[in-house]
Amino acid sequence: MARNKEKLVLLLDVGPSMHSVLPEVEKVCSMLVEKKLIFRKNDEVGVVVFGTEETNNDLTKEVGGYDHIVVLEDIKVVDGDLIDTLQKLPRGTVDGDFLDAIVVGMDMLIKKYKDIHKGKKRLCLITNAVHPIKDSLEGTKEDQVETIAAQMTAQGMKMESVVVRGRLSQDANKRIMDENDRLLSIFSKQTLTRTVYVDSPTSLLGALKTRRITPVTVFRGDLELSPDMKIKVWVYKRTQEEKFPTLKKYSEKAPQTNKFATHQVKVDYEYKTVDGASKVVPPEQRIKGYRYGPQVVPISAAEWDAVKFKPEKGVKLLGFTDASNIMRHYYMKDVYLFIAEPGNTRAILSVSAIARAMKEMNKVAILRCVWRQGQQNVVLGVLTPNISQNDKLPDSFYFNVLPFIEDVREYQFPSFNSFPVSWQPNEQQQKAADELVQMLNLAPSGKEEALLPDYTPNPVLERFYRHLELKSKQPDAAVPPLDGTLKRITEPDPELFFENKSVIDALRKHFELKENPKLKKSARRLLREKPSGSNDEDGDADVSDAQAVNSIEKALVVKIEKIGDLTPVQDFEVILSRRDSPEWVGKAIKEMRDKILGLLSDSHEGDNHLIAVECIAALRKGCILEQVSPSPSLCFCATVSAFATAKWPVIAFS
Amino acid sequence: MDLDPEDVFKDEEDGSDNEFFQQSASSKEYVVYLVDASPKMFNTTCPGKDQKDETHFHLAVSCIAESLKTQIISRSYDEVAICFFNTREKKNLQDLNGVFVFNVAEREHLDRPTARLIKEFDCLQESFMREIGSQYGIVPGSRENSLYNALWVAQALLRKGSIKTADKRILLLTNEDDPFGGLLGAAKADMTRTSLQRAKDAQDLGISIELLPLSCPDEEFNVKVFYADLLGLDGEDLVQFMPSAGQKLEDMKDQLRKRMFTRRIIRRITFDITNGLSIQLNTYALIRPAVPGAITWLDSVTNLPLKIERSLICEDTGALIQEPPKRFQPYRNENVKFSMDEISEMKGISTGCLRLLGFKPLSCLKDYHNLRPSTFVYPSDQEVVGSTCIFIALYRSMLRLKRFAVAFYGSSSHPQLVALVAQDEVAKAGVQIEPPGINMIYLPYSDDIRDVEEIFPDTDDDAPRADEDQIQKAAALIKRIDMRDFSVSQFANPETLCSTAGSSSRRR
């Protein structure tokens, strides 16, 4: 780990024009240090702020100048105090000079590490770069920047600049901004500097990588175009999901006084026989069984080895095909990046030539990949060109995994054109939808794209780390709600929706939605329950509703064993649905029959007849449901009909 | 206990992933294949490859066999029954004429498919005439109604299980669009009425009846004659039941096979377009990695399954922990503890619906903006009338303007930004290849995207670029190795083929 120790100096602009975004700067910087505390405890960080009233740095003491720059924290191994410092950055009073700040930061790194740790030293600048830097005494500003950039490269330093612009710096001077952008671009060209422009607090949170993961290759070897045409490539992951951290289990068993208690929990698995004895079976006596329908087929490791698919390691081209043959939604997994072997000019040129030709011809390549020797599966995927926009970076390919035939379910869906006219949008409706799709634009030209995945942080992780920091100070702190900046990710931007109010109102006016009146309430509840695993998403109201229903049902099940006079139909259904003994069905039907006959014979001028009809309907339904042989019901029907024709001839049987 | 050892050692919180990839046992499906075995099914053939004609009956049976083989691997918890009607012999619990329930030993009538069922069903073609026989069950002058009987038997088979935990379906395969065509007057009306009533009773019990019609070469199967009423089809549903006439065998097989799948909904979700305008959508998993069968641990002496017991042991005291323990994260030299409630509260950042945030041109969706298989979205008017209309309007706008929608999908396990990309319908030879609808593509967060600058090694020089001549040479190469008709799903996964071939050959 030590060799990867990063040495970082944060250069933060705290001048007056930055005040509005400083809360986000504080959050993103403390998050950066917090993650280092968890994942990279040995990294070292220093903090410099510029645009302050005061001045406090080595250079000003040694050579003078470098005003309004304060070294808040010298470079040191990360600790909790650093977070406390970053959480309350001072609010400056003067417009800062970012170039001076860069020099101060470089000076700190040089003094501390001399010229060792090449490539591990980093500067991170967050500014809006809307104020002019001081003129230099000798030469132009450009000359000055180039000298500094050359020094930076010589020292093996990298820089990351996050420039906050757009909505966040509206009334800045265009000429000065352009000059500053030009100066910053010199850094990008001449040094390993990543410059990112952001125009919303949300993308500020995402623009700075708060956790650095050292990339590892998935594969190094030949990309075989044919048996005798090969290109040396390295394959990396381009995306990989950053999961919610796996938290360890905590045991509270150890006495509080025990200072050395680890509070760890060991998870133990025992394989036991299912018979009464529950004997533990030792590992060597266990064998894996594979399901084939309800049966389980035992296959020992040796047998398994014999049938196991053992492909050779290698990445082979199957062929090229039109890009339109591969639908975007076939992409199955996270994405890989294929680069030519570093330093191998011929490989870099071949990748570049093929990538550019593919781009021109609108083609993609289909590959068959086995990344490692001994890997048991083959990956089929599509290679797409990635033409580099940066002169320093070579051309490369993206690789996406495609499905095999077993992975595709060929469901059929009706064509929209086949729907009745009432379901089709009319001309006005289509126009309203067109307007919405055009106007609710997240990527307007000339502006930064909103919610760009590359700069959009995971709100759940943000929340977790913030809560972790909070809880370390107040153990009983409640989970903080999502703040406004993170809500821009989960909810529509009120500003954008307000700007397009007329378009949205038009859409509302043209389309009418209503609850389906045909759907019975009970059915609706049923429908909501159907999708598996959706319960967790239902609102609280639904849950309590369902619980209420359940408890009522339970109560009924417990009590009712006879069909009463008040609610004979319901009683009948409850008894019928009892499953604790097979007798209930017969009993329910018999009781219901008696009840109906009773109702009919006791009726006075047909006053019970309506109830009796309901009972008969329920009885019929019950018999169908239980598939009880219809014959007893049939002769019963005859009895009832006799009654009915005698007393109330309106009832007819179907 | 179907615990896979690798699964067991995963953290419990990862369990949410499984829900995404695997079908849970609770969403079971019970299917009764109701196959018409009338002489007409044997007399009608459809032209196949190499002049080999196949009877409709053969076609139906081989499609069922194929779907059973898929099912035993991918959805083995689902239960099936196979039932023929218009047969000479009868075999059913109700002892009704003209209905024969096919089954094998060690199996209930409606049960999970077994290796034996598949094996014997495969051989059924040869023995059918001898053992079961084909005979019209609806004959003028008699009071028999084999269709009525068949529905009655199928419904009885589906008595099992609650409708809440299982989808119950009757799949009716026939080439007779007018089963009571030979009858006249009152007899016909009576039989029609009773059969419709029987179907309605089944539907009232939550059983869905689906028709897989087989068109005769000279005349199209006319759903309107009788079955539209039986199935309760309205105008819009009717259209999709119309098979095109005179199809080739392969196409017909393809269509039958596809229709035997249920379009299993993974979830019904609400799509919030703006405040006060929320429509209903169904989501479907059209593309998911087929996972090899779950492992069950057995005692190698008795071959009986083992149960796995998990115990939590306190490392400090050795005591067993009963209640679900709290979690902790070491931070700043101490252990910060979280209760499970707190953890789910942190993760629960949304209401579970899909919220529209805006639109972007398709060029903004980069090739590296991907993490997991996409989910298909199709509208439904079942709960909210008017959903389909808005959906179609937005879908058409997006297709025409080449834009996609960005939305936040607040599922509890993976709250995520998604791209909603409209997909135009693609059909070839009457078979749908890409259904019309919207694909939901899960977008990564900045946390999930690796820095390219980190990947490429540090250099002082500009990277080499191919010149025009080199690019032209590469273009010539690409032309040489062109796969013109490539389509996804041409390739079967060699790994699963290997393992399933292994286990089924052992069993049979």
Side-chain angles (χ1 to χ4, degrees):
Chain A
M1 276 314 276
R3 69 189 170 91
N4 280 331
K5 265 197 285 182
E6 185 183 71
K7 291 95 181 57
L8 171 70
V9 177
L10 294 168
L11 308 170
L12 311 174
D13 189 344
V14 295
S17 59
M18 283 290 284
H19 286 188
S20 64
V21 289
L22 280 183
E24 271 66 42
V25 175
E26 287 170 344
K27 275 175 197 149
V28 72
C29 292
S30 43
M31 178 78 69
L32 177 96
V33 175
E34 188 181 343
K35 287 193 185 170
K36 282 184 185 297
L37 276 175
I38 297 169
F39 302 108
R40 305 183 67 136
K41 288 190 187 130
N42 299 317
D43 282 1
E44 296 171 30
V45 173
V47 182
V48 175
V49 289
F50 59 103
T52 49
E53 184 68 50
E54 317 78 59
T55 303
N56 177 18
N57 63 70
D58 281 0
L59 283 179
T60 189
K61 289 172 210 150
E62 290 162 13
V63 296
Y66 299 99
D67 298 329
H68 307 297
I69 300 177
V70 173
V71 177
L72 275 188
E73 294 277 352
D74 276 320
I75 301 173
K76 60 174 182 181
V77 172
V78 285
D79 59 18
D81 299 343
L82 203 53
I83 294 181
D84 299 340
T85 308
L86 286 168
Q87 279 180 339
K88 31 181 201 295
L89 290 173
R91 300 303 190 254
T93 52
V94 276
D95 297 334
D97 180 330
F98 64 86
L99 196 63
D100 275 359
I102 291 175
V103 176
V104 169
M106 285 171 66
D107 175 63
M108 288 165 72
L109 285 169
I110 294 170
K111 284 198 178 119
K112 179 128 190 181
Y113 304 109
K114 309 291 182 294
D115 55 353
I116 52 170
H117 299 302
K118 280 212 165 115
K120 300 294 166 227
K121 290 176 283 189
R122 266 197 331 126
L123 294 164
C124 176
L125 172 70
I126 302 180
T127 179
N128 50 11
V130 290
H131 303 296
I133 61 164
K134 285 188 282 293
D135 285 319
S136 85
L137 298 173
E138 317 146 23
T140 61
K141 287 178 183 176
E142 278 81 1
D143 294 341
Q144 202 185 351
V145 169
E146 284 191 22
T147 322
I148 294 169
Q151 177 71 359
M152 207 183 267
T153 313
Q155 294 286 334
M157 286 182 202
K158 295 183 181 179
M159 189 164 80
E160 193 172 358
S161 333
V162 178
V163 184
V164 186
R165 282 285 167 78
R167 268 192 256 176
L168 303 172
S169 57
Q170 268 131 356
D171 17 84
N173 184 325
K174 180 94 170 51
R175 193 187 53 80
I176 298 169
M177 283 204 294
D178 288 347
E179 184 192 61
N180 285 337
D181 289 351
R182 205 168 56 244
L183 295 174
L184 284 168
S185 73
I186 297 177
F187 280 111
S188 307
K189 278 199 196 101
Q190 308 216 335
T191 68
L192 294 157
T193 295
R194 185 172 91 123
T195 308
V196 175
Y197 287 83
V198 295
D199 78 341
S200 74
T202 313
S203 44
L204 174 58
L205 290 183
L208 188 66
K209 280 270 183 307
T210 47
R211 182 180 174 195
R212 268 172 200 279
I213 295 164
T214 318
V216 281
T217 49
V218 179
F219 172 86
R220 292 184 191 197
D222 294 330
L223 166 61
E224 292 181 42
L225 301 178
S226 75
D228 44 31
M229 207 191 316
K230 296 169 183 172
I231 306 174
K232 291 261 179 243
V233 291
W234 288 12
V235 181
Y236 288 96
K237 277 279 177 78
R238 179 70 163 101
T239 61
Q240 186 158 39
E241 191 177 331
E242 169 106 359
K243 294 237 168 87
F244 193 86
T246 309
L247 305 180
K248 291 186 186 136
K249 297 185 178 65
Y250 186 83
S251 161
E252 285 166 324
K253 298 273 180 199
Q256 298 228 315
T257 47
N258 183 354
K259 279 189 191 131
F260 301 103
T262 61
H263 297 286
Q264 304 249 1
V265 175
K266 187 169 170 265
V267 186
D268 200 43
Y269 293 95
E270 280 183 326
Y271 294 75
K272 292 184 175 168
T273 53
V274 275
D275 54 19
S278 272
K279 222 171 58 205
V280 176
V281 177
E284 61 276 10
Q285 202 187 315
R286 296 201 298 257
I287 185 167
K288 276 184 186 175
Y290 293 84
R291 289 192 172 282
Y292 191 70
Q295 284 123 337
V296 180
V297 186
I299 300 180
S300 71
E303 281 178 296
W304 192 235
D305 240 19
V307 291
K308 213 187 269 173
F309 180 64
K310 288 174 216 132
E312 279 294 305
K313 172 186 170 178
V315 172
K316 290 191 173 69
L317 173 79
L318 298 180
F320 295 92
T321 190
D322 287 338
S324 58
N325 281 343
I326 309 294
M327 307 282 181
R328 180 62 175 77
H329 59 266
Y330 291 152
Y331 293 6
M332 290 272 281
K333 285 179 67 181
D334 35 22
V335 186
Y336 298 86
L337 184 73
F338 272 58
I339 67 165
E341 186 178 63
N344 182 339
T345 311
R346 288 182 51 188
I348 296 173
L349 281 176
S350 331
V351 168
S352 169
I354 295 174
R356 280 167 192 259
M358 275 162 70
K359 183 92 190 169
E360 256 171 44
M361 302 164 71
N362 221 354
K363 295 276 181 185
V364 296
I366 307 296
L367 300 188
R368 172 198 193 271
C369 308
V370 180
W371 307 122
R372 285 168 283 112
Q373 194 60 46
Q375 177 180 324
Q376 278 166 36
N377 64 325
V378 166
V379 179
L380 182 79
V382 58
L383 205 62
T384 46
N386 174 28
I387 307 300
S388 174
Q389 303 299 323
N390 181 331
D391 290 340
K392 289 248 173 253
L393 303 180
D395 294 329
S396 54
F397 296 112
Y398 291 123
F399 177 77
N400 271 288
V401 178
L402 293 178
F404 286 111
I405 197 163
E406 299 90 333
D407 307 337
V408 181
R409 279 172 233 177
E410 298 170 300
Y411 295 163
Q412 307 262 291
F413 290 85
S415 169
F416 289 139
N417 298 326
S418 69
F419 284 147
V421 180
S422 65
W423 286 20
Q424 307 266 3
N426 59 32
E427 210 171 302
Q428 279 100 30
Q429 288 175 324
Q430 191 60 56
K431 210 170 139 240
D434 284 357
E435 287 268 295
L436 185 82
V437 173
Q438 251 161 342
M439 299 308 289
L440 226 50
N441 195 351
L442 292 175
S445 56
K447 273 193 184 167
E448 295 293 321
E449 179 185 335
L451 295 173
L452 184 70
D454 306 60
Y455 303 148
T456 308
N458 183 339
V460 174
L461 293 180
E462 288 287 322
R463 200 182 191 189
F464 168 74
Y465 287 110
R466 285 181 198 177
H467 189 41
L468 176 66
E469 164 64 24
L470 195 64
K471 270 198 117 174
S472 72
K473 290 177 184 151
Q474 300 162 247
D476 52 352
V479 178
L482 282 191
D483 64 14
T485 320
L486 294 178
K487 276 210 175 119
R488 286 293 72 75
I489 304 167
T490 63
E491 287 173 19
D493 182 355
E495 216 172 291
L496 180 70
F497 275 64
F498 182 74
E499 275 168 25
N500 294 297
K501 197 171 174 299
S502 60
V503 178
I504 292 165
D505 287 346
L507 190 81
R508 276 217 200 106
K509 202 179 87 205
H510 284 295
F511 290 97
E512 198 193 354
L513 291 174
K514 53 176 184 281
E515 288 235 315
N516 188 351
K518 276 191 258 171
L519 208 61
K520 279 179 245 151
K521 211 162 182 190
S522 58
R524 210 169 277 155
R525 193 169 64 87
L526 192 75
L527 287 172
R528 219 175 294 153
E529 281 176 1
K530 238 179 179 177
S532 59
S534 67
N535 309 359
D536 44 0
E537 288 176 10
D538 279 352
D540 289 343
D542 288 335
V543 173
S544 58
D545 220 24
Q547 275 165 352
V549 171
N550 282 343
S551 62
I552 290 168
E553 273 172 10
K554 235 178 249 164
L556 287 172
V557 170
V558 173
K559 279 176 199 156
I560 294 170
E561 296 185 358
K562 265 186 87 69
I563 294 176
D565 292 329
L566 276 176
T567 53
V569 174
Q570 284 86 338
D571 293 356
F572 168 69
E573 283 170 356
V574 168
I575 299 175
L576 204 64
S577 60
R578 281 187 76 152
R579 286 283 179 262
D580 47 345
S581 154
E583 284 162 29
W584 287 114
V585 173
K587 185 173 156 73
I589 289 172
K590 187 178 168 294
E591 280 210 8
M592 193 59 166
R593 213 162 58 198
D594 297 349
K595 174 62 61 187
I596 294 167
L597 292 176
L599 279 169
L600 291 174
S601 55
D602 293 350
S603 109
H604 173 68
E605 310 224 320
D607 56 351
N608 281 338
H609 284 174
L610 268 180
I611 305 171
V613 170
E614 278 172 25
C615 290
I616 293 169
L619 180 60
R620 179 177 183 277
K621 209 174 148 203
C623 288
I624 294 169
L625 197 70
E626 296 299 327
Q627 294 295 320
V628 175
S629 157
S631 48
S633 300
L634 281 179
C635 50
F636 161 71
C637 276
T639 329
V640 177
S641 306
F643 257 110
T645 38
K647 294 204 169 179
W648 199 33
V650 189
I651 306 175
F653 290 95
S654 59
Chain B
M1 274 288 160
D2 306 318
L3 289 177
D4 176 279
E6 278 99 79
D7 269 341
V8 167
F9 293 102
K10 265 196 223 154
D11 195 88
E12 282 149 90
E13 282 154 33
D14 292 346
S16 48
D17 273 1
N18 291 346
E19 167 222 347
F20 183 74
F21 287 112
Q22 280 167 4
Q23 163 214 344
S24 64
S26 64
S27 64
K28 272 198 281 198
E29 186 176 275
Y30 295 147
V31 181
V32 176
Y33 290 104
L34 209 52
V35 185
D36 188 353
S38 68
K40 188 177 177 186
M41 287 289 281
F42 286 90
N43 298 338
T44 321
T45 57
C46 43
K49 275 187 205 149
D50 321 324
Q51 326 292 201
K52 266 167 75 185
D53 292 1
E54 270 186 51
T55 65
H56 277 169
F57 182 79
H58 182 117
L59 182 72
V61 167
S62 61
C63 284
I64 294 173
E66 212 173 292
S67 100
L68 285 178
K69 282 174 204 166
T70 329
Q71 190 197 331
I72 196 168
I73 294 164
S74 60
R75 298 172 290 140
S76 77
Y77 285 98
D78 292 352
E79 302 189 4
V80 290
I82 302 164
C83 174
F84 297 100
F85 67 104
N86 286 328
T87 54
R88 187 185 65 228
E89 305 298 320
K90 63 176 172 181
K91 191 180 140 203
N92 57 73
L93 285 178
Q94 288 76 10
D95 204 35
L96 297 166
N97 283 330
V99 181
F100 193 98
V101 178
F102 173 81
N103 203 7
V104 295
E106 296 170 31
R107 193 177 171 277
E108 286 179 45
H109 291 303
L110 180 77
D111 205 344
R112 294 159 62 178
T114 60
R116 190 163 181 171
L117 178 78
I118 290 177
K119 191 179 163 193
E120 292 189 17
F121 190 71
D122 268 346
C123 312
L124 178 76
Q125 306 255 3
E126 299 147 33
S127 59
F128 188 85
M129 278 307 170
R130 192 173 63 244
E131 280 163 20
I132 302 173
S134 163
Q135 183 181 312
Y136 277 118
I138 303 162
V139 187
S142 84
R143 297 218 41 167
E144 282 302 329
N145 180 347
S146 55
L147 180 65
Y148 176 92
N149 289 351
L151 288 170
W152 174 262
V153 169
Q155 185 196 315
L157 287 167
L158 290 170
R159 237 184 90 200
K160 189 169 168 182
S162 156
I163 192 72
K164 280 185 189 154
T165 55
D167 278 337
K168 299 183 178 183
R169 306 164 68 204
I170 297 174
L171 291 183
L172 184 65
L173 291 97
T174 181
N175 61 359
E176 179 55 79
D177 56 9
D178 191 10
F180 307 115
L183 307 181
L184 290 170
K188 178 174 181 174
D190 191 46
M191 281 206 187
T192 308
R193 190 180 54 79
T194 49
S195 303
L196 293 183
Q197 183 58 45
R198 182 109 301 274
K200 195 178 167 296
D201 284 343
Q203 282 158 339
D204 284 348
L205 293 174
I207 297 170
S208 71
I209 304 178
E210 286 159 52
L211 177 70
L212 305 180
L214 297 150
S215 273
C216 302
D218 42 349
E219 55 170 330
E220 195 173 295
F221 191 100
N222 190 349
V223 188
K224 285 183 190 147
V225 174
F226 170 72
Y227 280 103
D229 288 340
L230 184 113
L231 304 174
L233 293 185
D234 298 339
E236 65 268 14
D237 296 328
L238 256 174
V239 190
Q240 58 167 313
F241 274 92
M242 291 299 188
S244 40
Q247 280 160 339
K248 284 196 237 87
L249 173 74
E250 289 306 310
D251 293 346
M252 237 161 125
K253 256 194 179 159
D254 224 31
Q255 220 177 45
L256 264 192
R257 200 168 44 80
K258 286 187 177 182
R259 283 193 178 159
M260 280 181 191
F261 285 125
T262 14
R263 301 194 302 243
R264 198 175 297 215
I265 297 172
I266 9 176
R267 206 159 272 172
R268 282 165 213 273
I269 55 173
T270 311
F271 181 32
D272 262 2
I273 296 168
T274 71
N275 279 343
L277 205 61
S278 302
I279 63 171
Q280 195 205 338
L281 301 177
N282 291 338
T283 65
Y284 302 84
L286 299 192
I287 298 177
R288 288 292 180 274
V291 279
I295 293 169
T296 309
W297 282 98
L298 306 174
D299 182 342
S300 62
V301 177
T302 58
N303 266 358
L304 286 173
L306 299 172
K307 61 177 177 201
I308 302 174
E309 278 180 10
R310 193 182 76 149
S311 41
L312 302 176
I313 299 160
C314 169
E315 287 204 348
D316 300 315
T317 59
L320 270 179
I321 299 172
Q322 302 297 339
E323 69 285 359
K326 282 191 166 186
R327 304 305 173 105
F328 76 101
Q329 169 73 51
Y331 178 66
R332 284 197 183 198
N333 302 323
E334 57 179 317
N335 292 329
V336 180
K337 278 165 273 179
F338 296 94
S339 67
M340 290 311 275
D341 287 347
E342 246 176 320
I343 291 173
S344 50
E345 198 189 331
M346 275 189 281
K347 288 183 177 178
I349 54 171
S350 179
T351 48
C353 63
L354 186 66
R355 298 195 79 163
L356 178 70
L357 303 179
F359 298 89
K360 290 182 184 179
L362 279 174
S363 59
C364 287
L365 182 63
K366 304 288 187 228
D367 277 332
Y368 65 92
H369 290 160
N370 209 68
L371 281 179
R372 298 186 286 142
S374 60
T375 297
F376 184 75
V377 184
Y378 197 82
S380 161
D381 269 28
Q382 203 163 5
E383 285 181 40
V384 184
V385 175
S387 294
T388 309
C389 186
I390 298 194
F391 184 92
I392 296 177
L394 289 175
Y395 160 88
R396 287 184 179 151
S397 301
M398 290 199 283
L399 269 183
R400 198 170 58 77
L401 299 166
K402 299 198 167 48
R403 294 176 145 257
F404 68 94
V406 177
F408 188 79
Y409 182 36
S411 83
S412 59
S413 58
H414 268 99
Q416 213 162 355
L417 278 174
V418 294
L420 301 173
V421 184
Q423 171 64 53
D424 207 358
E425 185 179 11
V426 182
K428 222 186 242 171
V431 178
Q432 190 176 67
I433 295 169
E434 286 297 329
I438 287 182
N439 286 292
M440 183 154 94
I441 289 161
Y442 300 87
L443 297 173
Y445 289 117
S446 63
D447 315 59
D448 310 322
I449 299 176
R450 294 292 159 80
D451 257 345
V452 197
E453 284 85 355
E454 289 279 310
I455 290 177
F456 287 106
D458 310 345
T459 61
D460 298 341
D461 308 317
D462 282 355
R465 292 271 188 268
D467 58 33
E468 197 47 41
D469 183 44
Q470 288 164 324
I471 296 173
Q472 285 315 314
K473 291 226 166 70
L477 171 86
I478 292 171
K479 276 188 201 125
R480 290 283 290 278
I481 332 179
D482 192 42
M483 303 194 287
R484 199 167 305 151
D485 295 322
F486 179 85
S487 85
V488 164
S489 73
Q490 274 176 345
F491 295 92
N493 187 348
E495 187 202 2
T496 24
L497 278 186
C498 236
S499 60
T500 51
S503 49
S504 56
S505 63
R506 262 182 72 100
R507 196 67 231 176
R508 289 198 248 170

